[in-house]
Structure formats: structure tokens, C-alpha cells
Amino acid sequence: MTPEPAPPVRPALTPEQEADLAQRAVQARQWAYAPYSKYLVGAALLTVSGKIYDGVNVENAAYPDSICAERTAAVKAVSEGEREFLAVAVASADGGAPCGSCRQVLSEFGLDAQVIIVNSDGAIVQRTTVRELLPQAFGPSNLA
Ligand code: ZN
């Protein structure tokens, strides 16, 4: 097994940046479309350019066509030219962690992005990184 390269040194978010992202994720929950699961999720994603993209889960009557908040935010960011993520905050009622699909999609644009998991009150329940959430990730280097 090839050892993973050391993660690049990234400045940690300031407490203000972290609080702002957490608050935006909580606020985004109001736009979640989750009539089936009733599990409202909001995300706020910070890119290297300093822009923040929010996202919500958008469910569909054809259940598998639903998409999570984190991937919504990621797709919004990438579709506007962003290619590198610094951090993402994810808010849900119980402070649930990103699902496997979201971990994979986030890893494409920021294996070392910080992940801030908050509950619906905006309280931070976990600070981690995409790399920690998805060890031994399959990524672009596998296809080089
Ligand atoms: Zn997900």
C-alpha cells in the first residue's frame, strides 16, 4: 500500500469564520426540501477564493434522485468555477455526519477541508476533516 502524502498545512479557520459557517448552515436548513424523511440539512461551504456556497438536501418522490446538502453546495461551487474547498459546515437536527457519497464528492475538491458538524442550534458537535472522514480515499491520483 502506498502511504498517503502528508496533508498540506492549512491555516485553521478563525473562530469567527467557523461561527459564520455554522450559522449559515443552520440558516440554510429552512430551504431544505425533505417532505419524506423530514430530516432537514443545511450546508455552508467555504472555498479558497473566500466565497461561501450554501446547500440543502433536496428529496424527490423517486427517492434515489434525492441529493444531500453537502453535495448541493459542492455542485453549486464547482459550477461557478471553484475547484478547492477549505471548509464545510453541516447542520441537522441531531448533528449527523456527512454520508459516504458526500464524503467522496467533497474529497475530490478538498481532502483536507475542515468539516464542522453542528446541530440545529448551531452548536458544534464535531470538528474533523474530509481526510479523517474518508481514509484511503479513491481520488484523482488513482487515475493519473
Ligand atoms: Zn450525503
Side-chain angles (χ1 to χ4, degrees), residues 84-111:
E84 193 173 355
F85 303 162
L86 287 183
V88 60
V90 186
S92 61
D94 65 343
C99 78
S101 292
C102 288
R103 294 175 192 204
Q104 181 64 41
V105 169
L106 290 170
S107 75
E108 181 85 12
F109 305 102
L111 200 50

Side-chain angles (χ1 to χ4, degrees), residues 68 70-71 99 102:
C68 302
E70 304 92 310
R71 277 180 287 150
C99 78
C102 288

